[in-house]
């Protein structure tokens, strides 16, 4: 195994978070990840358990296209490759209207809801409800109650609340079918025997709301859209918590929609039928009067056959009479229509139209007016009187009505002129029959009126039958293609998505926290940081001491085989490779508190155990930390030697009482000018004297980045050991340390990492001893209790994977 890192001329690139760091982060915190995933999935599961599942049911119907005129814009669009969706869009809007939904709610009694508690959420009941509650009076206030079936004949009524008031605390035992009188009206609870046995132990919550509120709720559950771009198939969707209720809503909605279409189509035919019936009654009465008049005339004048008496006149005047009959018939019908048109209350009534009589253009105008009026009423019913389309139709209707009145007046005037001309011709003809008895002349007038009334009566009867047939065969222009269908799996909430999201969040939360801690931590985390930021050789790593460690502790001894003790032995071996002839070894650091005194003291003991004479000098003349920690006498020390108060080195040396080959020299009395004393010639002289007595001279110096003393002391050192304590020194100091190394400010500058987390090696920093101590000393000595503890299977596999990433 390579023990030292080759010195490079250029500093390495500063390292960041790598894939290896993330992988080690995952395996080092696997238990937190498992706990986080378990908690998040549990929370998601509880949330899903509290949510009522929603199911989707769909129905598909075909909207048949109505007959279109030749100049219809929709036909032009279709010829250009498009499709006119305006008509279908209107039908889609009507399908989703609140008016239709209110009718559906009223038919299905959806203003009354039933639900039971199913684990953590409420389960809606409809077709499978074991009870039915019928409210006999109109809605006055919201009602809620809880019903618990006792047996097939009785139930318990609990927590009755009316108008959102306080719930009743009393319980009532009532028989099914009895009428219960409350402040909200009468109600009757009936049982559904086929479902009742399954709910004997459950409380059924029953609620009643007003129809408009219920219509708004269920209206929000309905959606409709075209099934495709080039089709008139409409798909209606209903999303509800109860599948049977969703199917019932769709079926009833289609039925109500079909009935609405048929009702709209039959309104013209119904209005025409009413007009025909009224005219038939009037003509029948008039025809009876004419026939009675003719009978009385014949009886008074004793005329048996008028036809025989006037056969010659009739043969000459037959053609004119036919023409008069036809003209008078049309004139009478036109006047009747004009009276009906003039006597309508307002301008929002349909105009009766009797087809086949009169001018064809006039009939077409009446049909167009009626169709436009029906379209206006349908739009006004769904969108209100203030809709711009309704206002436009009102303007168009007013214009058409004016034109229609003008056309009707023109038509009647034309008929009148024709009648006047025909009567003049008739008068001229009658002048030739002055010899005909006055009685016969009167009889002819009566017969003529009779013929007119008979023709009109027969015509109206035929039209009434035709209109009745149209009413009988009217059907809606829709056809159901797919009855309500859908999957048994709920569409909401999305369980897989929620659980997968919870799993992902559970994975992300601990990793994010650890990554934030990792990025927020600017301290040196281990060997990797030193290698990434500097090119200095690392002499060794000192594992962190578990628990609180006394500053005076000596962790190395002849019989100790702990990882810390072995790390100091390895440090001694590595020094022989880095600087085999080094005799003066200086220890320094960046800031106080990095453990350089602890390392220097234990390193000195390690060298003494190798049968070497070692002396440790406290070179911190300002704070004298080592001297105070080890309770050394400061009467004689480095400062007194440098100031010339001592002439013999023997006066400075104090036994360590740790090892017989290990001595110490205190800092002495704190001088006012420590830097100037260290720059004197007596300091190198002291070192030379000590070299004669000792194999190794250890200098415990002040931090190099705090005062200039370390740079002054460094001139006599053969090897400089820079102590860096992990999780203490800020990484931003490392570039400065690299600069010291590149500028050769200290001889053989090497780094010792102190406080390494050997067991966890968290975040991938401290892997230098991952195999040096984690394995080598584990089975080499087997004395440490921590190394005797077996690792679990997961940690073993994690360790192997981490080592693969490390290469």
């Amino acid at each position: 195994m390579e023990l030292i890192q080759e010195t490079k001329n250029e500093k390495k690139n500063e390292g960041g978070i790598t894939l290896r760091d993330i992988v080690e982060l995952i395996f080092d915190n696997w238990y937190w990840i498992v706990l986080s995933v378990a908690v998040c999935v549990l929370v998601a599961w509880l949330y899903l358990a509290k949510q009522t599942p929603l199911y989707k049911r769909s129905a598909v119907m075909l909207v048949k296209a109505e007959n279109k005129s030749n100049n219809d814009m929709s036909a032009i669009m279709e010829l250009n490759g498009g499709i006119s969706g305006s008509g279908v869009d209107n039908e889609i809007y009507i399908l989703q209207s609140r008016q239709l939904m209110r009718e559906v709610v009223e038919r299905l009694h959806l203003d009354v809801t039933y639900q039971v508690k199913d684990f953590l959420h409420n389960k809606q009941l409809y077709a499978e409800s074991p009870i039915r509650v019928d409210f006999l009076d109109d809605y006055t206030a919201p009602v809620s109650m809880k019903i618990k079936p006792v047996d097939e004949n009785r139930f318990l009524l609990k927590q009755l609340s009316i108008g959102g008031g306080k719930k009743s605390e009393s319980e009532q035992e009532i028989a099914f079918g009895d009428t219960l009188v409350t402040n909200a009206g009468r109600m009757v609870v009936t049982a559904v025997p086929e479902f009742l046995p399954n709910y004997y132990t459950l409380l059924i919550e029953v609620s009643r709301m007003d129809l408009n509120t219920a219509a708004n709720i269920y209206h929000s559950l309905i959606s409709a859209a075209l099934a495709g771009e080039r089709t008139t198939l409409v798909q209606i969707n209903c999303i509800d918590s109860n599948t049977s209720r969703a199917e019932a809503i769709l079926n009833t909605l289609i039925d109500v929609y079909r009935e609405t279409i048929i009702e709209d189509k039959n309104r013209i035919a119904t209005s025409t039928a009413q007009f025909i019936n009224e005219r038939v009654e009037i003509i029948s009465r008039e025809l009876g009067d004419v026939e009675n008049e003719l009978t009385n005339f014949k009886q008074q004048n004793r005329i048996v056959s008028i036809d025989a008496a006037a056969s010659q006149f009739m043969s000459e005047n037959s053609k004119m009479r036919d023409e008069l009959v036809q003209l008078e018939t049309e004139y009478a019908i036109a006047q009747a229509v004009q009276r009906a048109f003039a006597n309508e209350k307002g301008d929002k009534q349909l105009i009766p139209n009797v087809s086949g009589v009169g001018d064809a253009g006039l009939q077409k105008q009446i049909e167009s007016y009626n169709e436009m009026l029906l379209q206006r009423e349908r739009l006004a019913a769904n969108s209100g009187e203030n809709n711009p389309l309704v206002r436009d139709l009102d303007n168009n209707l007013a214009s058409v009505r004016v034109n229609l009145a003008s056309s009707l007046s023109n038509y009647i005037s034309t008929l009148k002129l024709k009648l006047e001309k025909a009567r003049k011709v008739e008068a001229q003809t009658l002048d030739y029959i002055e010899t005909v008895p006055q009685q016969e002349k009167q009889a002819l007038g009566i017969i003529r009126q009779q013929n007119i009334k008979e023709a009109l009566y027969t015509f109206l009867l035929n039209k009434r039958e035709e209109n009745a047939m149209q009413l009988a065969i009217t059907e809606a222009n829709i056809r159901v293609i797919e009855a309500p269908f859908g999957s048994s799996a709920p569409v909401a909430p999305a369980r897989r998505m929620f659980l997968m999201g919870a799993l992902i969040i559970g994975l992300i939360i601990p990793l994010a926290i650890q990554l934030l801690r990792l990025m927020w931590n600017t301290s040196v985390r281990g060997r990797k940081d030193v290698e990434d930021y500097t090119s200095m050789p690392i002499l060794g790593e000192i594992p962190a001491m578990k628990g609180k460690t006394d500053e005076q502790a000596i962790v190395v001894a002849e019989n100790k085989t702990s990882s810390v003790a072995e790390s100091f032995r390895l440090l001694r071996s590595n020094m022989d490779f880095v600087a085999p002839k080094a005799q003066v070894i200086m220890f320094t650091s960046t800031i106080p508190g990095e453990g350089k005194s602890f390392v220097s003291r234990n390193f000195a003991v390690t060298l003494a155990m190798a049968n070497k004479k070692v002396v440790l000098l406290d070179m911190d003349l300002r704070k004298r930390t080592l001297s105070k920690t080890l309770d050394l006498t400061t009467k004689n020390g480095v400062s007194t030697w440098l100031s010339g108060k001592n002439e013999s080195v023997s006066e400075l040396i104090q036994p360590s009482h740790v090892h017989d080959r290990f001595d110490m020299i205190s800092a002495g009395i704190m001088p006012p000018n420590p830097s100037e004393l260290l720059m004197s010639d007596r300091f190198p002289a002291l070192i030379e004297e000590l070299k004669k007595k000792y194999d190794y001279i250890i200098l415990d110096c002040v931090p190099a980045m705090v005062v200039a003393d370390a740079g002054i002391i460094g001139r006599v050192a053969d090897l400089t050991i820079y102590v860096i304590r992990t999780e203490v020194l800020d990484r931003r100091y490392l570039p400065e340390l690299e600069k010291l190394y590149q500028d050769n400010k200290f001889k053989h500058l090497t780094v010792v990492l102190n406080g390494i987390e050997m067991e966890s090696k968290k975040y991938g920093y401290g892997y230098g001893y991952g195999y040096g101590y984690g394995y080598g000393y584990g089975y080499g000595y087997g004395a440490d209790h921590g190394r005797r503890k077996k690792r679990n299977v997961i940690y073993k596999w994690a360790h192997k994977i981490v080592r693969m990433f490390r290469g």
Side-chain angles (χ1 to χ4, degrees):
M1 179 183 68
E2 184 178 358
L3 297 177
I4 60 173
Q5 180 179 348
E6 182 181 357
T7 303
K8 299 179 180 179
N9 294 328
E10 296 182 359
K11 187 181 76 169
K12 295 183 178 179
N13 294 331
E14 294 184 358
I17 297 176
T18 64
L19 177 62
R20 182 182 67 189
D21 301 333
I22 298 176
V23 172
E24 291 182 351
L25 188 68
I26 293 174
F27 283 108
D28 284 338
N29 297 276
W30 65 268
Y31 42 88
W32 288 114
I33 296 175
V34 171
L35 179 61
S36 176
V37 168
V39 171
C40 291
V41 171
L42 178 61
V43 171
W45 182 85
L46 290 175
Y47 171 80
L48 292 173
K50 294 181 67 176
Q51 300 301 308
T52 301
L54 299 178
Y55 302 88
K56 181 179 180 181
R57 288 295 179 267
S58 303
V60 180
M61 71 176 188
L62 172 66
V63 179
K64 302 176 184 177
E66 298 285 355
N67 294 330
K68 302 175 183 177
S69 59
N70 294 332
N71 60 350
D72 196 346
M73 286 301 297
S74 60
I76 297 176
M77 292 179 64
E78 291 179 1
L79 289 175
N80 291 331
I83 182 169
S84 173
S86 60
V88 179
D89 290 341
N90 291 338
E91 304 305 322
I92 290 176
Y93 182 85
I94 295 172
L95 274 170
Q96 300 177 91
S97 65
R98 286 179 172 81
Q99 181 180 355
L100 291 186
M101 183 51 65
R102 192 179 191 282
E103 180 66 24
V104 172
V105 170
E106 190 171 2
R107 290 190 185 185
L108 298 178
H109 304 289
L110 296 179
D111 55 329
V112 181
T113 60
Y114 310 87
Q115 63 181 13
V116 294
K117 196 71 174 179
D118 184 14
F119 190 41
L120 295 179
H121 67 270
N122 293 325
K123 178 182 178 182
Q124 296 286 330
L125 303 177
Y126 181 67
E128 66 278 8
S129 175
I131 60 172
R132 292 287 184 269
V133 180
D134 297 319
F135 291 88
L136 305 181
D137 299 317
D138 293 336
Y139 175 86
T140 57
V143 179
S144 66
M145 69 191 84
K146 290 186 178 180
I147 294 176
K148 181 178 181 180
V150 177
D151 52 33
E152 59 184 7
N153 298 319
R154 296 170 300 131
F155 66 91
L156 288 178
L157 178 64
K158 302 180 178 181
Q159 300 181 15
L160 176 63
S161 175
I162 299 174
K166 184 178 180 181
K167 296 181 180 180
S168 174
E169 300 295 336
S170 61
E171 296 183 2
Q172 300 181 51
E173 185 172 321
I174 306 171
F176 286 114
D178 287 354
T179 300
L180 179 63
V181 180
T182 67
N183 294 333
R186 297 168 299 161
M187 63 180 180
V188 178
V189 181
T190 57
V192 181
E194 56 185 306
F195 300 116
L196 191 61
N198 298 328
Y199 293 88
Y200 282 150
T201 59
L202 298 178
L203 277 175
I204 305 169
E205 185 175 348
V206 182
S207 301
R208 187 194 189 192
M209 65 191 82
D210 67 283
L211 288 175
N212 291 328
T213 302
N216 290 333
I217 292 174
Y218 291 103
H219 173 265
S220 64
L221 306 180
I222 295 294
S223 63
L226 289 173
E229 294 183 359
R230 301 182 59 84
T231 180
T232 58
L233 291 173
V234 178
Q235 180 171 326
I236 314 170
N237 302 317
C238 180
I239 298 178
D240 196 5
S241 57
N242 187 284
T243 56
S244 61
R245 183 169 62 190
E247 293 173 0
I249 290 174
L250 290 177
N251 286 325
T252 308
L253 180 62
I254 294 174
D255 292 341
V256 172
Y257 175 65
R258 182 187 288 110
E259 294 171 6
T260 303
I261 295 176
I262 295 175
E263 182 182 352
D264 287 343
K265 289 187 174 182
N266 286 340
R267 290 184 66 181
I268 297 177
T270 303
S271 179
T272 303
Q274 182 180 359
F275 169 76
I276 291 175
N277 290 333
E278 292 176 356
R279 296 307 302 162
V280 165
E281 184 179 353
I282 295 173
I283 297 301
S284 177
R285 187 167 55 252
E286 292 178 352
L287 182 60
D289 294 341
V290 171
E291 290 176 347
N292 290 333
E293 183 181 356
L294 180 61
T295 301
N296 293 333
F297 177 79
K298 287 183 178 181
Q299 289 177 352
Q300 292 175 1
N301 295 280
R302 296 180 180 181
I303 298 174
V304 178
S305 175
I306 297 177
D307 293 337
S311 58
Q312 185 178 357
F313 170 75
M314 292 298 295
S315 63
E316 295 176 357
N317 200 38
S318 60
K319 181 178 180 181
M320 183 57 62
R321 185 173 65 249
D322 293 338
E323 182 179 355
L324 280 172
V325 169
Q326 179 65 26
L327 288 174
E328 288 182 356
T329 300
E330 294 182 5
Y331 184 75
I333 294 175
Q335 283 184 323
V337 172
Q338 188 181 35
R339 287 193 299 271
F341 181 76
N343 293 333
E344 294 296 336
K345 297 178 181 180
D347 55 355
K348 301 298 185 295
Q349 300 296 327
L350 297 172
I351 300 175
N353 184 20
V354 182
S355 61
V357 176
D359 183 54
L362 181 60
Q363 294 178 5
K364 186 174 181 180
Q365 284 182 326
I366 294 174
E367 291 175 357
S368 299
Y369 177 83
N370 289 336
E371 290 177 356
M372 191 179 300
L373 183 57
L374 286 176
Q375 183 180 3
R376 185 260 178 206
E377 290 181 357
R378 183 166 57 251
L379 287 175
N382 288 298
S383 58
E385 294 290 337
N386 295 325
N387 191 303
L389 295 176
V390 175
R391 294 180 178 177
D392 292 339
L393 287 175
D394 287 338
N395 296 332
N396 294 336
L397 285 170
S399 176
V400 172
R401 191 174 182 88
V402 172
N403 295 333
L404 185 59
S406 176
S407 299
L408 188 59
S409 298
N410 293 336
Y411 176 67
I412 293 176
S413 299
T414 302
L415 288 178
K416 187 175 181 181
L417 292 174
K418 289 181 180 180
L419 280 173
E420 290 176 355
K421 185 178 180 181
R423 285 168 182 167
K424 288 180 181 180
V425 174
E426 183 184 27
Q428 293 175 358
T429 304
L430 291 177
D431 291 339
Y432 294 104
I433 57 172
E434 293 179 355
T435 59
V436 178
Q438 186 66 28
Q439 295 86 354
E440 187 173 2
K441 182 179 179 180
Q442 294 178 358
L444 287 176
I446 296 173
I447 291 173
R448 184 173 61 248
Q449 290 295 325
Q450 182 185 20
N451 291 335
I452 292 173
K453 302 299 181 182
E454 285 181 352
L456 183 59
Y457 184 74
T458 303
F459 173 78
L460 290 174
L461 289 178
N462 290 333
K463 290 302 175 183
R464 184 169 66 179
E465 293 301 320
E466 291 178 5
N467 195 68
M469 185 177 296
Q470 182 180 354
L471 283 172
I473 65 175
T474 301
E475 64 176 6
N477 61 331
I478 64 170
R479 181 163 63 92
V480 177
I481 304 301
E482 291 281 357
F485 65 93
S487 172
S488 59
V491 295
R495 298 184 62 87
R496 291 184 179 178
M497 184 182 69
F498 269 99
L499 293 176
M500 184 60 67
L503 177 64
I504 294 173
I505 292 174
L507 292 173
I508 290 176
I509 288 176
L511 291 179
I513 293 174
Q514 294 298 333
L515 283 174
L516 286 174
R517 289 181 59 192
L518 184 62
M519 291 185 291
W520 191 263
N521 183 11
T522 61
S523 62
V524 175
R525 293 161 292 186
R527 180 176 189 137
K528 183 174 180 295
D529 277 343
V530 177
E531 291 177 342
D532 287 341
Y533 285 84
T534 71
S535 57
M536 297 172 56
I538 298 176
L539 190 64
E541 295 169 291
I542 308 301
M545 298 291 292
K546 294 184 179 181
K548 294 184 178 180
T549 305
D550 189 356
E551 290 292 335
Q552 304 182 31
I554 299 296
V555 296
V556 294
E558 296 288 349
N559 56 349
K560 283 190 176 181
T561 59
S562 65
S563 60
V564 179
E566 295 299 335
S567 66
F568 279 103
R569 294 188 179 97
L570 186 60
L571 189 64
R572 181 184 61 192
S573 301
N574 292 343
M575 185 193 67
D576 293 336
F577 288 96
V578 174
K581 297 182 180 180
Q583 190 175 2
V584 181
I585 304 170
M586 182 180 79
F587 283 83
T588 186
S589 63
T590 305
I591 58 176
E594 294 193 70
K596 59 178 178 56
S597 298
F598 170 79
V599 175
S600 62
R601 184 168 60 253
N602 283 276
F603 183 66
V605 175
T606 304
L607 293 175
M609 290 190 299
N611 202 24
K612 303 292 184 181
K613 290 199 65 176
V614 183
V615 62
L616 174 63
L617 280 71
D618 184 4
M619 298 304 300
D620 188 357
L621 303 184
R622 303 171 188 270
K623 290 187 176 182
R624 302 172 295 167
T625 304
L626 183 64
S627 301
K628 294 178 181 178
T629 302
L630 300 179
D631 196 20
L632 299 177
T633 178
T634 57
K635 181 179 180 180
N636 297 317
V638 176
S639 61
T640 57
W641 170 271
L642 296 178
S643 61
K645 294 181 179 180
N646 298 106
E647 295 298 334
S648 173
V649 173
S650 301
E651 298 175 358
L652 309 178
I653 297 173
Q654 302 180 43
S656 65
H657 306 294
V658 175
H659 197 282
D660 55 358
R661 303 184 68 83
F662 173 37
D663 296 326
M664 298 182 183
I665 297 178
S666 70
I669 302 172
M670 184 175 66
N673 55 344
S675 297
E676 287 74 9
L677 290 178
L678 291 173
M679 293 175 64
S680 67
D681 294 337
R682 289 186 62 82
F683 178 57
L686 173 62
I687 299 301
E688 292 300 326
E689 290 294 328
L690 291 175
K691 284 182 179 181
K692 298 175 183 179
K693 295 178 174 290
Y694 295 95
D695 298 317
Y696 291 101
I697 302 167
I698 309 298
L699 305 179
D700 184 10
C701 298
V702 296
M705 299 292 183
V706 178
V707 292
D709 295 1
I712 299 172
I713 298 172
R715 72 182 189 274
V716 300
D718 300 323
L719 174 65
T720 302
I721 298 178
Y722 205 99
V723 178
I724 296 176
R725 187 165 186 172
T726 59
E727 304 298 337
V728 173
L729 180 64
D730 197 307
R731 287 197 301 275
R732 290 170 288 187
Y733 281 110
L734 293 179
E736 297 297 327
L737 182 57
E738 172 68 13
K739 185 178 180 181
L740 291 178
Y741 177 70
Q742 295 294 339
D743 294 342
N744 293 319
K745 293 294 183 65
F746 297 100
K747 295 179 182 179
H748 292 96
L749 182 60
T750 59
V751 173
V752 169
L753 291 173
N754 185 27
I756 294 293
E757 294 289 342
M758 302 305 300
E759 187 65 26
S760 64
K761 301 176 286 299
K762 64 178 179 179
Y763 313 139
Y765 298 95
Y767 59 87
Y769 281 84
Y771 47 82
Y773 288 106
Y775 293 136
Y777 291 108
Y779 60 79
Y781 296 93
D784 186 77
H785 174 71
R787 292 190 298 272
R788 291 198 308 265
K789 187 170 66 173
K790 296 182 179 179
R791 295 173 176 172
N792 57 53
V793 175
I794 296 178
Y795 186 80
K796 287 183 178 179
W797 280 102
H799 192 75
K800 291 180 181 179
I801 294 174
V802 170
R803 289 193 64 194
M804 286 193 298
F805 274 95
R806 290 172 180 160

